[in-house]
Amino acid sequence: MEKLFHKRWLIKSCFSLGSANALNIYRCLSSAEVSTALRPFYFSVHPDLFGQYPDERIINENSLKQLSSYIETLQQRRPARPTSVTFYLRSRSNGTNVSKKGSFRSVKIDLKQRDLRKTVLSILKSCDLPTTYVDNIAPAPKQEPSFGLEIRKPKFDENDPIFGAAILRREVKQGKDGEKLSVWLEKNVEQARMKLAACQPVREEIIRLQITLQDALGVQRVLWDCGWNVTHFRGCLQSFQALARHHPDVMHVLKGRTLMFGNDTGVSMDGHVMLNSGEVRHNWLDLIKNVHKHDIVLLRIPSFEKAVSRVLRDIRVVRRKFQPKVMAKHYENHLRRLTTSLSDHQGRFGYPREWPEKLDKFELVVETEAGPLMVSPTGQFIVPASCPGSLVVSFIDGNMEEATSLLLRYKSNKHVERDLVQQCVDEFQLAALHKDDNITPELMIACCKQMLQHQEQLRRNLLNTRIWVTNYYSVLSDGEMCIPWNWKL
């Protein structure tokens, strides 16, 4: 399945980078050569790698669109406007000038070259990827355009890279469309059950360790919010238990709090003590000793949220549904920055006359500087902290109707989703039924309804399994089965 994703994305990229001018003989790199050269890059930023990180997935998708447009402009020999794009990549090493987050890192790429070859080299070098393939391609001599000559479109044969890619894309689509849930389950359910049984002692050990920590430290909950499997979770719990035994004098600050192992170290906006599952215990201890400093920031956040609300006519400043955890100190800076931007705009230009006196029926989410400006599937206005006040006002003004409709739909769907999930768990006696963050209640409802509709055909293969609803088929190392929400029987 992983190979299928790679082929699918490579083909999509190949055609998005191509154009009607893709065969001009004066270009140094052909469309096929560009696709081949950037193949390691595409595999590193593939949006499907970030299924549990919707923010990073959206950023990569949007950046790929901008990059594709930029390269296509160069291929058409038109002037390209310089721009910058940000990508999240799976980390391989501790590169310089790269801010790491969990198991991936962010890279900013400046697109300012006017030459296609230089652009490809810049992309690869920015991501610390090899440039050997491009270096070995001899630049084609630039030819002067011939006027008055008829240019004939070359004929394709089956060995042509572009024509071959078209065939491959069609075959991949046919293969995916033909992949049925019933067939996939027959092939994979036994393997999933074997892995599930092998991991059962690990799950039981995790429950025992969680209870032990709750009893010993007065911790309210011990949670896992990381893409690693349950074996890694057990390792984190064992390491933390050893840390608590060696430093019992500082553990009192965790009493009554939620302890969460994830991709960051700090205190989240919900007040959860977050420990990076990939860090050493010394860093965990340092945070626990300084939790009180983070709590001071946490106490200031409601005031900053209220400031944003006041400057934008009492709009409700909320936290994004299905959002990865954000540290309190970062969130405070985002709120401060957006408040300043909106205050400046209000003082200079005011707000549209047709706006209601209050915007308290709308929800606003303030995110990182690199985040998207969008209306979420749940009806919230998602605004990056770096967005100018004028752009925020214009965006809200043009999307009020859509936000209202989505917000009302979500309020209704979330209750329906909860009931349908429970029905599926009961009907198939599932050990667990979860979903990716990018699967909205509407999509989950469609999936659950279809499961219940075909319960007779599915019951045998789904009985006592763990299901994760996402966008692809896969069996995880701990026995969980990933299925797409829009599966076909």
Side-chain angles (χ1 to χ4, degrees):
M1 181 52 60
E2 183 180 5
K3 293 181 179 179
L4 178 62
F5 282 142
H6 290 173
K7 290 180 180 178
R8 182 186 65 186
W9 185 253
L10 177 61
I11 295 163
K12 179 179 179 182
S13 303
C14 177
F15 276 82
S16 65
L17 294 176
S19 66
N21 296 325
L23 297 169
N24 288 346
I25 60 175
Y26 52 73
R27 183 165 54 245
C28 293
L29 296 180
S30 68
S31 178
E33 289 170 339
V34 170
S35 296
T36 302
L38 293 180
R39 183 182 302 172
F41 168 74
Y42 294 141
F43 290 174
S44 298
V45 302
H46 194 308
D48 284 340
L49 295 174
F50 302 86
Q52 297 186 22
Y53 303 97
D55 291 344
E56 288 72 19
R57 179 189 180 96
I58 292 174
I59 290 171
N60 277 16
E61 288 178 345
N62 293 336
S63 295
L64 280 169
K65 291 177 183 178
Q66 295 181 57
L67 178 61
S68 175
S69 176
Y70 186 88
I71 293 180
E72 183 176 352
T73 300
L74 293 181
Q75 290 177 316
Q76 295 175 350
R77 299 182 66 82
R78 293 188 287 110
R81 179 180 299 178
T83 185
S84 296
V85 291
T86 299
F87 287 99
Y88 283 91
L89 296 85
R90 288 292 177 182
S91 292
R92 295 183 179 180
S93 61
N94 296 329
T96 58
N97 298 325
V98 174
S99 61
K100 296 193 295 183
K101 180 179 180 181
S103 59
F104 46 85
R105 58 193 176 102
S106 64
V107 174
K108 182 179 180 181
I109 301 176
D110 294 321
L111 301 176
K112 55 186 178 183
Q113 298 82 6
R114 298 177 179 270
D115 177 78
L116 186 59
R117 173 186 290 267
K118 293 179 179 179
T119 299
V120 172
L121 289 173
S122 175
I123 295 169
L124 296 174
K125 291 178 181 178
S126 298
C127 302
D128 298 326
L129 295 171
T131 61
T132 308
Y133 177 80
V134 181
D135 295 335
N136 291 334
I137 299 176
K142 184 175 180 180
Q143 300 182 0
E144 296 296 330
S146 300
F147 299 98
L149 297 178
E150 179 184 0
I151 300 178
R152 297 181 179 180
K153 185 175 180 181
K155 296 181 179 180
F156 292 112
D157 59 47
E158 293 184 359
N159 296 320
D160 185 274
I162 302 297
F163 185 68
I167 296 176
L168 181 59
R169 181 173 64 171
R170 183 182 62 192
E171 291 177 349
V172 169
K173 184 178 184 303
Q174 291 175 347
K176 184 174 181 180
D177 291 343
E179 195 164 31
K180 309 296 185 181
L181 177 61
S182 56
V183 176
W184 186 86
L185 286 174
E186 289 290 342
K187 294 179 180 179
N188 294 278
V189 69
E190 289 305 319
Q191 177 192 11
R193 287 191 169 124
M194 289 175 60
K195 291 183 176 181
L196 198 62
C199 284
Q200 187 57 32
V202 178
R203 297 183 188 279
E204 294 174 356
E205 177 71 2
I206 286 174
I207 295 174
R208 187 190 67 78
L209 289 168
Q210 287 175 310
I211 294 174
T212 300
L213 289 174
Q214 290 172 350
D215 293 341
L217 305 178
V219 177
Q220 185 178 13
R221 292 182 301 170
V222 182
L223 303 178
W224 180 245
D225 185 33
C226 185
W228 296 83
N229 59 29
V230 292
T231 303
H232 193 66
F233 184 23
R234 180 183 62 177
C236 288
L237 291 173
Q238 291 171 338
S239 295
F240 186 80
Q241 187 179 51
L243 180 69
R245 288 173 180 169
H246 286 89
H247 302 276
D249 53 317
V250 297
M251 295 296 163
H252 63 277
V253 299
L254 300 178
K255 186 175 182 179
R257 308 189 72 140
T258 294
L259 181 64
M260 180 176 291
F261 295 91
N263 296 310
D264 290 288
T265 294
V267 176
S268 73
M269 296 186 298
D270 301 317
H272 300 340
V273 177
M274 303 282 297
L275 302 178
N276 189 323
S277 61
E279 288 186 342
V280 296
R281 287 184 289 178
H282 176 77
N283 291 351
W284 294 353
L285 182 62
D286 184 62
L287 169 68
I288 294 172
K289 290 180 178 179
N290 293 280
V291 161
H292 64 282
K293 296 180 181 179
H294 294 267
D295 285 342
I296 294 174
V297 176
L298 201 62
L299 292 173
R300 294 198 298 257
I301 284 181
S303 298
F304 280 99
E305 289 182 332
K306 192 170 184 180
V308 175
S309 177
R310 284 179 175 175
V311 77
L312 205 52
R313 296 194 176 179
D314 295 329
I315 196 169
R316 286 182 290 162
V317 180
V318 297
R319 316 289 166 78
R320 184 173 179 177
K321 300 174 179 68
F322 319 118
Q323 179 187 26
K325 298 299 180 183
V326 179
M327 299 302 103
K329 61 180 180 180
H330 298 150
Y331 184 55
E332 180 187 31
N333 294 333
H334 301 333
L335 292 171
R336 183 187 290 110
R337 185 172 182 179
L338 186 61
T339 301
T340 301
S341 178
L342 289 171
S343 296
D344 290 344
H345 177 81
Q346 183 187 32
R348 292 183 180 183
F349 308 105
Y351 294 134
R353 294 181 179 179
E354 61 271 17
W355 274 22
E357 288 297 320
K358 290 185 178 294
L359 300 179
D360 54 353
K361 71 176 183 177
F362 297 104
E363 295 183 355
L364 178 77
V365 177
V366 182
E367 293 204 341
T368 63
E369 293 88 343
L373 178 62
M374 59 177 286
V375 178
S376 75
T378 59
Q380 297 172 321
F381 290 112
I382 311 297
V383 177
S386 58
C387 192
S390 58
L391 188 57
V392 174
V393 172
S394 175
F395 182 76
I396 292 176
D397 185 55
N399 292 276
M400 285 185 175
E401 185 175 344
E402 180 185 2
T404 301
S405 174
L406 290 173
L407 195 60
L408 292 174
R409 186 188 305 171
Y410 171 74
K411 288 180 179 179
S412 171
N413 285 344
K414 65 180 181 180
H415 300 292
V416 177
E417 176 193 21
R418 182 181 58 194
D419 293 341
L420 286 173
V421 167
Q422 189 58 51
Q423 287 183 43
C424 288
V425 170
D426 295 340
E427 177 63 34
F428 298 103
Q429 300 179 35
L430 297 176
L433 176 57
H434 302 297
K435 66 174 185 176
D436 272 355
D437 291 335
N438 60 340
I439 303 299
T440 63
E442 191 171 10
L443 302 183
M444 192 65 173
I445 288 172
C447 179
C448 290
K449 283 184 175 179
Q450 196 173 7
M451 289 175 66
L452 294 171
Q453 182 180 352
H454 300 286
Q455 54 186 285
E456 294 301 324
Q457 298 96 314
L458 297 176
R459 181 179 287 108
R460 179 176 62 87
N461 284 328
L462 291 184
L463 197 65
N464 298 321
T465 58
R466 301 179 70 91
I467 302 297
W468 196 283
V469 179
T470 180
N471 291 296
Y472 53 87
Y473 288 107
S474 181
V475 177
L476 303 183
S477 60
D478 58 3
E480 286 192 333
M481 294 191 297
C482 299
I483 65 172
W485 68 270
N486 56 345
W487 54 268
K488 297 177 181 178
L489 188 62

